[in-house]
Amino acid sequence: MSSHLHLNAFLMSVGHHEAAWRLPESDPHAHIDIDHFVRLAKIAERGKLDSIFFADSPVLMGDPGRRPGGKLEPTVILTAVAVQTSRIGLIATASTSYNDPYNLARRFASVDWVSNGRAGWNIVTTAGADAARNFGLDDTPDHRLRYEKAAEFVEVSTKLWDSWADDAVVADKELGIHADADKVRKIDHRGEFFKVEGPLNVPRSPQGYPLLVQAGSSEDGKEFAARHAEAVFTAQQTIEDALAFYADLKGRARALGRDPDTIKILPGIVPVIGDTEEQARALDAELTRLISPEYARQQLAERFRLPVDDLDLDSELPDVLPTEDDIEGAKSRFTLIVNLARRERLTLRQLIGRLGGGRGHRTFAGTPVQVADTIEDWFRRGAADGFNIMPAVLPSGLERFVDQVVPILQQRGLFRTEYTETTLRGHYGLARPVNQFEAADALVGTL
Amino acid sequence: MSSHLHLNAFLMSVGHHEAAWRLPESDPHAHIDIDHFVRLAKIAERGKLDSIFFADSPVLMGDPGRRPGGKLEPTVILTAVAVQTSRIGLIATASTSYNDPYNLARRFASVDWVSNGRAGWNIVTTAGADAARNFGLDDTPDHRLRYEKAAEFVEVSTKLWDSWADDAVVADKELGIHADADKVRKIDHRGEFFKVEGPLNVPRSPQGYPLLVQAGSSEDGKEFAARHAEAVFTAQQTIEDALAFYADLKGRARALGRDPDTIKILPGIVPVIGDTEEQARALDAELTRLISPEYARQQLAERFRLPVDDLDLDSELPDVLPTEDDIEGAKSRFTLIVNLARRERLTLRQLIGRLGGGRGHRTFAGTPVQVADTIEDWFRRGAADGFNIMPAVLPSGLERFVDQVVPILQQRGLFRTEYTETTLRGHYGLARPVNQFEAADALVGTL
């Protein structure tokens, strides 16, 4: 367990609640306004948070008729934020199924340079036939295959990032020697999915390479995380589930020879904060009221692969549902939602209210002290190294968290009061990765 | 001919001269320092230039031992500059051979949003086996094939950019309707190279889409430019060649039914500016002195596909050389260099000096008045709509141009004294493109 907890702000246009844009306070054009995201980043930095995070998929998600459609490309957002902040870590999702490793590795290396070592990459394989159809495919590749490709993608990327030794550049004007050419290496990668010669056309960046983040909790996802991830975002509804997930993933990492402390686990929480419990619940109820129930019912039908007429808003979920094996993406999220609905015997209408805020992440409506209490409880009991904070409404939800919850966590000695490090890995207490080729050379030197 | 000339600053780390990094004034780490590029952009904006431009290739170019190796990814640079400037246009190269249209169209749309309509895309097909080998190929695809793919890439991209009508977003909070879903369209593109469903996950951007720029002067390149380009960068050593190129390209555009004024032609010029002619020539000579002749000889041998031993520094080019047909990329540049060497009967050593500054672009050493004179001459005689300014040394070369040459051009009434427009297309006097699907709908409406 970490001695201090880590906090990431997961930022989504005007908030994670799907109806947030309909509140009077919300700017319905904020999702394409870079100033909005810079403002949010500065609030997070004021709160000394470890990082901010932008999810992504290369497809228009959801019905643009019903909620703000489209997103600025996340490495563009990270860059704009990077040059207008100085400490906050910057994490973005990018797909291993629909990018070339050379281009993506280079873009993240560039963001790491521009931010002076604050870049992080949330590695996703991208489920969904609609995304596949933007890239020449008719359907999404098989789940297992996507993860195999992702593993090789990460392998190629780390080779490219390591293709320049840290001390390759000598910049000797007198001799006219800019770099020691022996320390800039081709990688000559030839694998099952990729053939890449290298070297990268960006020198090794301040962090060596971006923090590697992962967010899938399926069996394949956990195996991948145990091998590659340095930070993990996960959806957990109960502390029991969170404890089990935490122990499972740390155990897998240990079994692979990793120090379990080098993989930080951050469950999501959607805090709906009020000065009083009553006020918090009223905001939550107002947001639920603004959800279009018919649209939500249709989305549930799609998620469960059922005819929309089989779903009655005032009944519970049907007894017979597909299994996780039938679902191509967000497998563990599917099971989580079914379990939530069955455990609490929710009607569809109630379930829709519960999902509206966090799409399966844990929503918690309460006072700042109550939010701090639940964070402390999960952290102290070993269910989390920190939290992925997903404000239902932005910027107000993030402001309340930073100005009202963070000070309580600081007073309790659970969270930093000042940044002590300058890089994203530094904030998470992780070491800068050793260059794999330098390590190999050093080994040869000792033989 | 345009009534006012247009000026683009082509920015390359510490300058276009390959030895610029060795000057005492140069920061040899500037190529990976975003603050350097922001500083350059602000100088260009102070000079009221139309735009700045960053070339690119997804490969480590040249020998990193001999000059600064690697580059930050250009859309990352554009973004960082966008949020720290307000008017200057922002153009970057991206390859149609080594990107997916969905990802690239989205990234440029994002940069256009972030910059409030200042993005431009220099469309290149990327020659070179070394680049190909970073993307799973053994060799570069055939020249003609690359251009066919580029044409389809641009077609897919404009469809994606037009997949949202300009008035699609209504943002009606009361009704819970964010966009008119009928105005967000799938594109269902099925072509020879690409199959893309769409719609794009970014609403139509301030300019509709980025300014389309092109820089190839081969036969395929000119045909492509005549069809698609709104601005063209070109290398021309003599005014006769420039006049012929200008007339040729405008004629091709006219033959395709385009108003020739909607395609702006900007030859490159490498101005080496001194207070006196003597000072300018001294700087030029100092830069030539700093070139490594052996390294340059080797590069010439590669360009001409000859054994390096066949090239004698103190002789002229061999009589027998490959032809343009034998060369896979930079075809017209190859011919330009051969013609330059033969016309002026240059020894290899002299040719190396002439190429060191601009790789075939026209180098002009002189006083501010002399530089302004040659610009005015070419512009008034119909050889150019403007110029692609390629400072040999940065930032000093750009500062001198902006502070000493631009005021002369302004006094002569040739160049703007204040920005009158806010977008990149606005600066170049070009109209915002009509949405192709809206135009089609309007046509249906009139039937």
Side-chain angles (χ1 to χ4, degrees):
Chain A
M1 192 178 95
S2 306
S3 59
H4 284 74
L5 63 83
H6 300 284
L7 295 173
N8 172 74
F10 179 179
L11 303 176
M12 200 172 251
S13 72
V14 289
H16 281 269
H17 199 285
E18 64 165 84
W21 73 274
R22 297 182 65 187
L23 291 176
E25 73 181 69
S26 294
D27 172 5
H29 305 287
H31 61 305
I32 44 167
D33 176 6
I34 193 65
D35 293 338
H36 171 70
F37 295 106
V38 172
R39 205 173 302 131
L40 295 177
K42 288 184 173 178
I43 296 167
E45 191 169 72
R46 186 173 87 214
K48 316 299 176 196
L49 268 52
D50 295 69
S51 50
I52 58 176
F53 162 58
F54 299 94
D56 197 53
S57 189
V59 64
L60 182 62
M61 308 266 283
D63 177 354
R66 289 296 182 172
R67 59 181 196 189
K71 289 177 178 181
L72 298 172
E73 198 280 328
T75 62
V76 167
I77 301 181
L78 293 198
T79 301
V81 168
V83 295
Q84 296 179 84
T85 55
S86 62
R87 293 295 190 98
I88 189 81
L90 305 164
I91 304 170
T93 290
S95 171
T96 53
S97 297
Y98 305 120
N99 277 290
D100 277 298
Y102 197 90
N103 290 337
L104 193 69
R106 185 196 185 189
R107 209 150 72 245
F108 272 105
S110 298
V111 175
D112 204 45
W113 274 112
V114 167
S115 64
N116 288 313
R118 295 183 284 139
W121 171 28
N122 179 41
I123 306 160
V124 302
T125 67
T126 311
D130 46 357
R133 289 194 295 264
N134 287 332
F135 295 88
L137 304 177
D138 293 320
D139 203 350
T140 186
D142 171 74
H143 194 263
R144 171 62 55 91
L145 200 69
R146 290 206 312 274
Y147 271 92
E148 284 172 7
K149 188 174 178 185
E152 191 180 325
F153 196 115
V154 171
E155 182 190 343
V156 176
S157 299
T158 59
K159 285 179 180 171
L160 286 169
W161 288 319
D162 288 350
S163 62
W164 288 66
D166 285 310
D167 60 353
V169 174
V170 293
D172 187 323
K173 291 181 178 182
E174 205 51 50
L175 294 177
I177 304 291
H178 196 273
D180 178 347
D182 291 342
K183 295 190 171 181
V184 184
R185 297 171 175 86
K186 292 187 178 183
I187 66 167
D188 283 325
H189 176 90
R190 285 162 187 271
E192 198 184 329
F193 300 93
F194 302 108
K195 203 169 76 177
V196 180
E197 185 177 70
L200 193 62
N201 55 351
V202 179
R204 201 163 192 257
S205 68
Q207 287 191 110
Y209 49 81
L211 180 78
L212 302 181
V213 183
Q214 196 272 353
S217 298
S218 66
E219 190 57 30
D220 292 332
K222 283 188 285 193
E223 268 310 298
F224 183 91
R227 267 176 214 284
H228 303 288
E230 299 172 279
V232 173
F233 299 142
T234 179
Q236 303 293 338
Q237 282 281 337
T238 69
I239 190 164
E240 292 74 24
D241 286 348
L243 283 164
F245 179 84
Y246 188 95
D248 179 19
L249 195 51
K250 296 269 177 167
R252 287 174 195 247
R254 196 180 292 109
L256 288 165
R258 291 182 64 185
D259 173 356
D261 225 32
T262 62
I263 176 168
K264 306 296 181 186
I265 299 175
L266 294 90
I269 179 171
V270 183
V272 179
I273 304 168
D275 293 340
T276 62
E277 237 185 283
E278 197 186 346
Q279 207 185 73
R281 284 189 201 287
L283 173 58
D284 199 28
E286 169 64 3
L287 284 165
T288 300
R289 190 185 68 77
L290 291 172
I291 298 174
S292 157
E294 275 314 310
Y295 173 57
R297 190 171 73 135
Q298 199 181 318
Q299 288 195 304
L300 272 186
E302 278 170 29
R303 185 183 279 278
F304 293 122
R305 308 233 169 147
L306 294 176
V308 69
D309 292 336
D310 287 9
L311 298 180
D312 172 2
L313 283 176
D314 295 303
S315 303
E316 295 180 31
L317 272 180
D319 290 335
V320 180
L321 288 175
T323 68
E324 192 173 304
D325 285 344
D326 302 323
I327 306 292
E328 245 314 311
K331 285 172 177 283
S332 61
R333 190 66 56 86
F334 169 85
T335 304
L336 176 150
I337 291 169
V338 174
N339 290 347
L340 167 68
R342 301 240 194 269
R343 187 174 59 240
E344 305 194 16
R345 307 209 54 176
L346 302 174
T347 64
L348 281 197
R349 199 179 295 277
Q350 291 169 321
L351 180 61
I352 285 167
R354 289 289 287 277
L355 296 180
R359 304 173 309 285
H361 282 272
R362 180 170 164 244
T363 299
F364 187 93
T367 65
V369 169
Q370 286 173 326
V371 172
D373 284 349
T374 189
I375 284 176
E376 177 167 8
D377 182 45
W378 280 43
F379 176 66
R380 288 208 188 277
R381 287 170 66 185
D385 295 309
F387 290 86
N388 192 18
I389 307 299
M390 304 167 56
V393 184
L394 288 167
S396 64
L398 183 63
E399 277 175 331
R400 277 186 205 159
F401 186 84
V402 159
D403 295 335
Q404 299 174 19
V405 179
V406 166
I408 299 172
L409 298 172
Q410 289 170 328
Q411 282 154 22
R412 294 181 187 177
L414 292 167
F415 193 62
R416 70 175 69 83
T417 53
E418 279 303 333
Y419 287 110
T420 55
E421 303 284 335
T422 59
T423 68
L424 174 54
R425 270 207 189 75
H427 299 332
Y428 281 100
L430 298 165
R432 185 172 188 272
V434 171
N435 187 315
Q436 62 193 295
F437 301 118
E438 297 294 293
D441 278 1
L443 194 64
V444 170
T446 63
L447 293 180
Chain B
M1 193 178 93
S2 306
S3 58
H4 284 75
L5 64 82
H6 300 283
L7 294 173
N8 173 74
F10 178 0
L11 303 176
M12 200 172 253
S13 72
V14 288
H16 280 270
H17 199 284
E18 64 166 83
W21 74 273
R22 297 181 65 186
L23 291 176
E25 73 183 70
S26 294
D27 171 6
H29 305 289
H31 61 305
I32 44 166
D33 176 6
I34 193 65
D35 293 340
H36 171 71
F37 295 106
V38 172
R39 205 173 301 130
L40 296 176
K42 288 183 173 177
I43 296 168
E45 192 169 72
R46 186 172 88 212
K48 318 297 178 197
L49 268 51
D50 296 69
S51 49
I52 57 175
F53 162 58
F54 299 94
D56 197 53
S57 189
V59 65
L60 182 62
M61 308 267 282
D63 177 353
R66 287 295 181 173
R67 59 180 195 189
K71 290 177 176 181
L72 299 173
E73 197 281 326
T75 62
V76 167
I77 301 181
L78 294 197
T79 302
V81 168
V83 296
Q84 295 180 85
T85 55
S86 62
R87 292 296 190 97
I88 187 82
L90 307 165
I91 304 172
T93 290
S95 170
T96 54
S97 297
Y98 305 120
N99 277 290
D100 278 297
Y102 198 92
N103 289 337
L104 194 68
R106 186 196 185 190
R107 207 151 76 243
F108 272 106
S110 298
V111 176
D112 204 46
W113 274 112
V114 167
S115 63
N116 288 312
R118 295 183 286 140
W121 171 28
N122 179 41
I123 306 160
V124 301
T125 67
T126 311
D130 48 356
R133 289 194 294 265
N134 287 331
F135 295 88
L137 304 176
D138 292 321
D139 203 351
T140 186
D142 170 76
H143 195 263
R144 171 62 56 89
L145 200 70
R146 291 206 312 273
Y147 271 93
E148 284 172 8
K149 189 175 178 185
E152 191 181 325
F153 196 116
V154 172
E155 181 191 343
V156 176
S157 299
T158 59
K159 285 178 180 173
L160 286 168
W161 289 319
D162 288 350
S163 62
W164 287 67
D166 286 309
D167 60 352
V169 175
V170 293
D172 187 324
K173 290 182 177 182
E174 204 52 49
L175 294 176
I177 305 291
H178 196 273
D180 178 347
D182 290 342
K183 295 188 171 180
V184 185
R185 297 172 176 85
K186 292 187 176 179
I187 66 166
D188 283 326
H189 176 90
R190 285 160 188 274
E192 198 184 330
F193 300 93
F194 301 108
K195 204 169 75 176
V196 180
E197 186 178 69
L200 194 62
N201 55 352
V202 179
R204 202 163 191 257
S205 68
Q207 287 191 111
Y209 49 81
L211 181 77
L212 301 182
V213 183
Q214 196 272 353
S217 299
S218 67
E219 190 57 30
D220 292 333
K222 283 189 284 194
E223 268 309 298
F224 183 90
R227 268 175 214 285
H228 302 289
E230 300 172 280
V232 173
F233 299 142
T234 180
Q236 302 295 336
Q237 282 280 339
T238 69
I239 189 163
E240 292 74 23
D241 287 348
L243 282 164
F245 179 84
Y246 188 94
D248 179 20
L249 195 51
K250 296 269 177 168
R252 288 175 195 245
R254 196 181 292 109
L256 288 165
R258 290 183 65 186
D259 173 356
D261 225 33
T262 61
I263 176 168
K264 306 296 183 187
I265 299 177
L266 294 90
I269 180 169
V270 182
V272 179
I273 304 168
D275 294 339
T276 61
E277 235 184 284
E278 197 187 348
Q279 207 185 74
R281 285 189 202 285
L283 173 57
D284 200 28
E286 170 65 3
L287 284 165
T288 300
R289 191 186 66 79
L290 292 172
I291 297 175
S292 157
E294 276 312 311
Y295 173 57
R297 190 171 74 134
Q298 199 181 319
Q299 287 195 304
L300 272 186
E302 277 169 31
R303 186 183 278 278
F304 293 121
R305 309 234 167 144
L306 294 175
V308 69
D309 293 336
D310 287 8
L311 298 179
D312 173 2
L313 283 176
D314 296 305
S315 303
E316 294 181 32
L317 272 180
D319 290 334
V320 179
L321 288 175
T323 67
E324 191 173 304
D325 284 345
D326 303 322
I327 305 292
E328 246 313 311
K331 282 172 177 285
S332 60
R333 189 66 57 86
F334 169 84
T335 303
L336 177 150
I337 292 169
V338 174
N339 289 346
L340 166 68
R342 301 243 193 267
R343 187 175 58 240
E344 305 194 15
R345 307 208 55 176
L346 302 173
T347 65
L348 280 197
R349 201 179 292 279
Q350 290 168 320
L351 179 62
I352 285 167
R354 289 289 287 276
L355 296 180
R359 304 173 310 286
H361 283 271
R362 181 169 163 246
T363 298
F364 187 94
T367 64
V369 168
Q370 286 172 325
V371 173
D373 284 348
T374 189
I375 285 177
E376 177 167 6
D377 183 44
W378 281 43
F379 176 64
R380 288 208 188 276
R381 287 170 65 185
D385 295 310
F387 290 86
N388 192 19
I389 307 299
M390 304 168 56
V393 184
L394 288 167
S396 64
L398 183 63
E399 277 174 332
R400 278 185 206 161
F401 185 83
V402 158
D403 296 334
Q404 299 174 19
V405 180
V406 167
I408 299 173
L409 298 172
Q410 289 170 329
Q411 282 154 23
R412 296 181 186 177
L414 291 167
F415 193 61
R416 70 174 70 84
T417 53
E418 279 304 331
Y419 287 110
T420 55
E421 303 284 335
T422 58
T423 68
L424 174 54
R425 271 208 187 74
H427 299 333
Y428 280 101
L430 299 166
R432 185 172 188 271
V434 172
N435 187 314
Q436 61 193 297
F437 301 118
E438 298 292 294
D441 278 0
L443 195 65
V444 170
T446 63
L447 294 178

